Amino acid sequence: MTPVISWQDTRGSNILEQVSLSLNDVRHRTGLFANSHFGASKIAWCLRHSTAVQKASREKRLCIGSISSFLLHHLAAERPFSIDPCNAQRTLLYNISGRCWDAGLLDQFGLSVDSLPEVKPHISDWGTLSVASRPIPIRLVSGDQNTAFVALGANHQSTAVVNVGTGAFIGIPVANPADVPDRLLKTVLPGAGQQQFIAEGTVNGAGRALNTVAQQLGCDIEAMRPLQNKELIFLNGEGGLAAPYWQGGFQSRFIGEGDPGHKLMAVRESIGFLLRCCLMEFGQQENQVDCLKVAGGVSRSDTFCQQLADLFQRPVLRPSMSEATAMGAAMLLAESPSWETTEDRFVPNQDKCLHKRFQHWLDAMEASKGLL
């Protein structure tokens, strides 16, 4: 037994540097980037540093899976050892073309396929729960983020979907998987039948960045103040700089002056700036997106949603029900492509100061990383 390692744990990042496959090859096989937020380096770290995991491996009783696999095994009467494609992809070991564990990647990380769960379609016979002595079939297993994308309309070609919680994620529909830009993820969408993908941009530091900086400043998030004409910006590398830059060791920092309330606002603006950069990866094709639909804890802020509308210059729609994952699961099980809900609508304004700060932020990122 070992303490649970969350997605934010990056202690295995140095292991990725020892993988001989090229980054392009890893992305071709998995749709992802070789990043320590995904499972492979965490698993390899445990094999190198945990005596309990090493012992289980020697005795051929090691089982490696996602949290969903663990819960399914312990809750279902049949005690299955299974995983869905969405969670399998996030291990960085799943081949999205072959829809199976990738032998080359397993070899690179020193793993055996015998230790990994069976990959099954999202909607399958996953076993049964016993509730009040009655068997309840388990019909759907999926990643929470992927399911939230479905609820927010990831199948609608004109809608970019944004979920903002601990981290932030933007999903942009693509008609052809080959259309996913090079610096975004090619993410599996849950569902039955033909495998579908969306282009996904990830921001590791959303709610996490706000909480971290608030603690460092010794204040509450509610102390946030408008920046107005200030040029204060925050280069947000909390948890590692993800899409579209992919720099794990990037150091977060403020550029410009302001009090704690102003700094918290700069942190929140940086979330929108990173999301905006992800859509910019599409070049001229980004014009096909005519609105954003948002959910997640941070999206409960009207000011944040208005900033997104002003920054993206597109209407932002916020469903009245913020729990998108549960709704997405219900939609998948009901085989329903949409759900009816009231929505708050934020219409874009011309905020010249915001766009000036965004350009300042882009220039600072270019000076810091030379990536733009």
Side-chain angles (χ1 to χ4, degrees), residues 139-182:
R139 294 291 299 146
L140 171 68
V141 175
S142 177
D144 59 345
Q145 188 63 44
N146 312 65
T147 308
F149 281 157
V150 171
L152 291 170
N155 293 319
H156 299 165
Q157 295 299 315
S158 62
T159 302
V161 297
V162 177
N163 201 24
V164 191
T166 304
F169 308 83
I170 181 170
I172 303 106
V174 291
N176 186 334
D179 294 337
V180 175
D182 290 341

Side-chain angles (χ1 to χ4, degrees), residues 265-316:
M265 180 61 76
V267 173
R268 196 172 71 181
E269 281 192 358
S270 74
I271 302 169
F273 292 167
L274 285 164
L275 293 171
R276 182 70 183 90
C277 284
C278 291
L279 185 58
M280 288 167 61
E281 288 292 301
F282 278 83
Q284 291 299 318
Q285 289 180 302
E286 77 165 75
N287 294 327
Q288 298 173 7
V289 173
D290 58 24
C291 73
L292 277 70
K293 187 172 283 190
V294 302
V298 178
S299 75
R300 294 297 90 195
S301 164
D302 289 355
T303 305
F304 177 73
C305 291
Q306 187 60 57
Q307 286 176 343
L308 284 183
D310 297 345
L311 183 62
F312 280 77
Q313 281 299 291
R314 290 166 173 84
V316 169

Side-chain angles (χ1 to χ4, degrees), residues 22 46 129 205 253 331:
S22 71
C46 288
L129 292 174
R253 54 196 176 276
M331 290 168 55

